[in-house]
Amino acid sequence: MHAELKKYSDKLPKSLLQEIEEKCPASKIKKVAARVYEEYCKTKIDAGEAVGLVSAESIGEPGTQMTLNTFHFAGVAEMNVTMGLPRIIEILDGRKSIATPMMEIFLKSPFNKGKDIHNIALRIKESILGEFVKEYVINIVDLKIELKLNLEKMGAIGVKHALLIKAIDKSLGKEVTSKEDGEGGLVVKLRGRDEKGLNDLYKIKEKLRSVYVCGIKGISQVLPVKRRDEFIVITAGSNMKKILDLDFVDETRTTSNDIYEIRKVLGIEATRQAIIDEVFKVIEAQALNVDIRHIMLVADTMCSSGEIKGITRYGVVSEKSSVLARASFETPIKHIINASLVGEIDFLNSVVENVMLNQPVPVGTGLPGLLTKVAK
Amino acid sequence: MAKKIDITKHVLVPKHTLVSEAEKKRITDNLKLSGSELPRILKTDPALAGLKAKDGDIIKITRISRTAGETIFYRRVISA
């Protein structure tokens, strides 16, 4: 870096320094940097500016336009994703379970070149026994179920008969025994068949259908997609921990849209970034224009306690120290009664409570006190 | 199948570094804050895995920012 620019290294943001360096002839750097610094100081937010209020307005106004076109089927073929206002509400409320959890799985080279991409995708997907069975034949005489299997599909994912038997054993082992029938299928028999009847057999048949066989639990749909020059897998359902453990998955880029899962696996800072990305994605998709700094502020607020706090009365609002401020948001009577029961004191340090009491509020010019003592 | 994943390499995770005692004082003086006023991070946070952070430590986070290129943020470690 240029020597003159180094002087500003802790005064100007990195992006500006880079821009000066790239676009400026070396001889003029000193002058330009001084001028940029001057402009930069002018555009900084003043102390006491009500940034939260500005952010609320700036996100809220485009939000009113968004309500008109809410339930959008966005994104990739056949997979529907919550977009628009419902998605924004979902993120900012800090909901634990979201409507359409989704993952974007990046693959390591050479798996991302597109060869066998369908099989890789299918290996990720949670498979149940029903998918591999072509036909259920119920044998009333011997009280057993014969399963005709889809061998092609089993071969593609690499599922062997032994695995199916093990899977059945694991979830229904108390009720049935199963073995190969020698013709590529399976035979399932009831245990203790003397006291069991046809009804039990039918019940077991239904249960068999949903026996978990292999794949990652929670991933209900997979879709290989080409993005730029590589193939990625988009999934419906999310299970970040398990997916990152797979050896063909690129663990540095794979993400989920479930912010709680990101919090658990990657930590609070990654969550903040994910909130920003997700909200911005929605706003961008609707071709609205909200400055990313507003979203950053919201994300910072939500993540400042180390855990995700939604913008609700249970989340960030419950963190406020002032009773009156909490009461002014939602359920006032509850807050006032609880506060009076424990003898809470309100120091009137913030905005809302002072508005309620008709006093000057500590924002903007209301913030500083007098520096000089006025002589009497 | 099991592999050791290093989440600090993930694109969403910015660089976390532990701040030394001397640096700690300088930071809080500079910001005119007591340490307890900083945003918090849980001791159990996955991103702190290799750092051996204890309660009250300050973590320096070097974020990649879309607007400023790179920004520095501080969090104080708390247990649960």
Side-chain angles (χ1 to χ4, degrees):
Chain A
M1 199 187 282
H2 196 276
E4 280 299 327
L5 273 182
K6 277 213 174 104
K7 285 185 199 159
Y8 291 96
S9 65
D10 56 344
K11 288 178 188 159
L12 285 175
K14 208 176 174 185
S15 56
L16 282 182
L17 292 174
Q18 266 167 7
E19 207 177 325
I20 298 174
E21 177 136 65
E22 278 164 23
K23 297 192 176 162
C24 214
S27 55
K28 287 188 178 159
I29 273 189
K30 189 179 173 183
K31 248 185 166 174
V32 171
R35 189 67 209 280
V36 168
Y37 180 60
E38 199 180 298
E39 283 296 314
Y40 176 72
C41 289
K42 271 191 211 163
T43 51
K44 264 188 177 173
I45 297 278
D46 298 317
E49 181 77 55
V51 282
L53 188 91
V54 176
S55 284
E57 298 270 345
S58 308
I59 299 173
E61 196 277 333
T64 57
Q65 297 179 27
M66 238 187 266
T67 45
L68 296 174
N69 38 12
T70 40
F71 293 100
H72 249 283
F73 290 95
V76 234
E78 289 169 29
M79 217 174 269
N80 85 75
V81 189
T82 331
M83 290 294 276
L85 200 66
R87 176 67 184 144
I88 295 225
I89 293 174
E90 196 173 75
I91 302 166
L92 298 188
D93 278 2
R95 299 244 173 97
K96 281 227 164 88
S97 56
I98 58 176
T100 48
M102 221 184 92
M103 286 190 79
E104 276 179 18
I105 302 174
F106 286 83
L107 303 171
K108 275 187 182 152
S109 179
F111 301 102
N112 63 1
K113 294 284 177 280
K115 194 171 166 274
D116 292 335
I117 185 83
H118 281 276
N119 291 347
I120 291 172
L122 283 176
R123 250 195 283 167
I124 295 168
K125 181 172 180 276
E126 175 177 353
S127 302
I128 55 174
L129 190 62
E131 293 168 29
F132 300 110
V133 177
K134 264 199 270 186
E135 199 183 344
Y136 300 86
V137 183
I138 295 187
N139 189 328
I140 304 173
V141 185
D142 298 331
L143 281 182
K144 65 182 184 182
I145 307 171
E146 288 154 18
L147 308 179
K148 301 248 165 72
L149 298 172
N150 184 343
L151 295 176
E152 262 170 52
K153 197 169 175 195
M154 286 170 63
I157 314 182
V159 172
K160 303 251 157 56
H161 286 79
L163 184 69
L164 294 182
I165 293 173
K166 219 168 124 189
I168 295 172
D169 238 24
K170 206 174 169 194
S171 34
L172 298 171
K174 287 203 181 96
E175 294 160 82
V176 299
T177 55
S178 51
K179 61 171 196 286
E180 279 181 63
D181 66 357
E183 293 161 27
L186 289 180
V187 185
V188 178
K189 278 186 187 156
L190 292 176
R191 275 186 205 276
R193 50 193 283 194
D194 296 340
E195 64 264 29
K196 298 259 171 83
L198 199 55
N199 272 342
D200 296 297
L201 205 60
Y202 275 105
K203 271 185 209 155
I204 287 293
K205 185 196 144 197
E206 285 310 311
K207 280 188 192 166
L208 273 177
R209 202 190 293 272
S210 55
V211 162
Y212 162 80
V213 179
C214 65
I216 308 289
K217 274 193 181 164
I219 307 295
S220 56
Q221 247 185 79
V222 286
L223 192 74
V225 179
K226 187 164 190 193
R227 175 152 318 162
R228 282 180 211 105
D229 51 354
E230 64 179 334
F231 281 83
I232 66 168
V233 179
I234 291 180
T235 68
S238 179
N239 190 341
M240 205 149 178
K241 203 170 178 114
K242 288 270 170 61
I243 296 275
L244 290 186
D245 269 338
L246 295 174
D247 46 11
F248 50 86
V249 168
D250 182 349
E251 73 271 19
T252 63
R253 288 184 297 162
T254 297
T255 56
S256 168
N257 72 346
D258 184 340
I259 54 172
Y260 271 87
E261 212 155 67
I262 293 187
R263 161 74 190 79
K264 232 193 299 169
V265 180
L266 300 176
I268 194 70
E269 273 297 318
T271 313
R272 185 198 89 107
Q273 194 55 50
I275 292 174
I276 296 171
D277 292 350
E278 287 291 324
V279 174
F280 202 68
K281 209 156 67 185
V282 176
I283 287 170
E284 226 173 20
Q286 308 248 340
L288 296 171
N289 211 352
V290 178
D291 195 292
I292 197 166
R293 276 161 266 238
H294 297 305
I295 303 161
M296 283 176 175
L297 182 71
V298 176
D300 269 335
T301 313
M302 288 176 72
C303 296
S304 73
S305 70
E307 276 175 291
I308 302 167
K309 288 257 161 34
I311 314 285
T312 63
R313 74 180 106 122
Y314 310 104
V316 287
V317 178
S318 70
E319 301 262 294
K320 292 191 178 183
S321 60
S322 159
V323 198
L324 293 175
R326 267 178 282 139
S328 73
F329 186 66
E330 273 165 9
T331 59
I333 301 195
K334 195 184 94 190
H335 278 119
I336 291 171
I337 289 178
N338 284 342
S340 58
L341 284 177
V342 294
E344 244 180 81
I345 299 170
D346 197 321
F347 290 100
L348 306 179
N349 283 331
S350 188
V351 180
V352 195
E353 52 266 40
N354 283 303
V355 172
M356 290 168 109
L357 297 178
N358 199 17
Q359 295 190 56
V361 288
V363 280
T365 49
L367 186 62
L370 281 180
L371 286 178
T372 31
K373 285 209 172 90
V374 184
K376 279 183 186 162
Chain B
M1 198 96 128
K3 67 173 176 186
K4 192 99 180 89
I5 53 161
D6 182 7
I7 62 124
T8 57
K9 293 216 175 72
H10 197 280
V11 282
L12 285 177
V13 184
K15 195 175 154 214
H16 291 57
T17 38
L18 197 61
V19 164
S20 68
E21 282 300 314
E23 184 85 340
K24 212 161 130 180
K25 176 125 182 26
R26 203 186 59 78
I27 290 164
T28 47
D29 285 355
N30 237 349
L31 297 168
K32 300 192 177 67
L33 285 176
S34 70
S36 61
E37 284 168 306
L38 286 173
R40 285 157 276 172
I41 187 167
L42 295 187
K43 207 160 121 188
T44 50
D45 198 278
L48 294 186
L51 288 180
K52 294 199 184 95
K54 8 179 242 305
D55 275 22
D57 277 349
I58 292 179
I59 304 291
K60 177 179 167 184
I61 295 151
T62 317
R63 289 172 175 170
I64 308 293
S65 158
R66 223 191 270 201
T67 51
E70 198 173 79
T71 46
I72 289 170
F73 196 74
Y74 299 101
R75 282 178 188 272
R76 187 174 56 99
V77 181
I78 55 162
S79 52

